[in-house]
Amino acid sequence: MTRELFKQFAHEATRSIGHRTQRMAARQELIDHLEERYAGLRADGASEAEAEVGALRAMGEARNLAKGLEKANRPRLTWRIVVVLVLIGLGCFVAFYLVYVLPLNMYP
């Protein structure tokens, strides 16, 4: 059973992640970590309230965590995308040359 405080914390920590799928996955992973920490504290004899607070403290501030999660989940340009964009640009240049420049030079 997910604690409401854990859901709120996870929402606050992950709301800056742009892509919805990544945001939801990171949110669930964070909730899972909080639940595991909570269960460990309960097993060690902490009360429910102490275990909730302890699990949240172990994660640190939501704002600081949000910065790290946003950076880790930022979309990256892979080399394949860069190569495709360069080839498209080169293709456009060649097409422009063949359509507009070459016909002007055919008739002096």
Side-chain angles (χ1 to χ4, degrees), residues 36-88:
E36 287 173 12
R37 181 72 175 148
Y38 173 83
L41 290 170
R42 288 289 288 155
D44 290 342
S47 69
E48 287 186 21
E50 290 172 338
E52 278 185 354
V53 171
L56 290 169
R57 280 192 182 145
M59 285 293 170
E61 290 289 321
R63 284 179 295 210
N64 295 337
L65 188 57
K67 290 177 187 175
L69 288 172
E70 181 183 9
K71 186 176 182 181
N73 289 287
R74 187 175 301 142
R76 295 174 185 87
L77 278 178
T78 64
W79 65 271
R80 292 180 196 149
I81 294 173
V82 173
V83 168
V84 168
L85 291 174
V86 167
L87 289 175
I88 289 172

Side-chain angles (χ1 to χ4, degrees), residues 1-59:
M1 179 172 80
T2 303
R3 310 239 173 267
E4 192 60 35
L5 284 175
F6 294 171
K7 287 182 182 179
Q8 290 173 358
F9 181 86
H11 176 76
E12 186 69 29
T14 59
R15 71 179 178 176
S16 63
I17 298 173
H19 195 268
R20 184 179 188 279
T21 305
Q22 289 177 329
R23 181 175 56 249
M24 299 309 289
R27 189 172 292 166
Q28 187 58 51
E29 185 175 350
L30 186 54
I31 290 171
D32 291 344
H33 285 301
L34 287 165
E35 289 289 343
E36 287 173 12
R37 181 72 175 148
Y38 173 83
L41 290 170
R42 288 289 288 155
D44 290 342
S47 69
E48 287 186 21
E50 290 172 338
E52 278 185 354
V53 171
L56 290 169
R57 280 192 182 145
M59 285 293 170

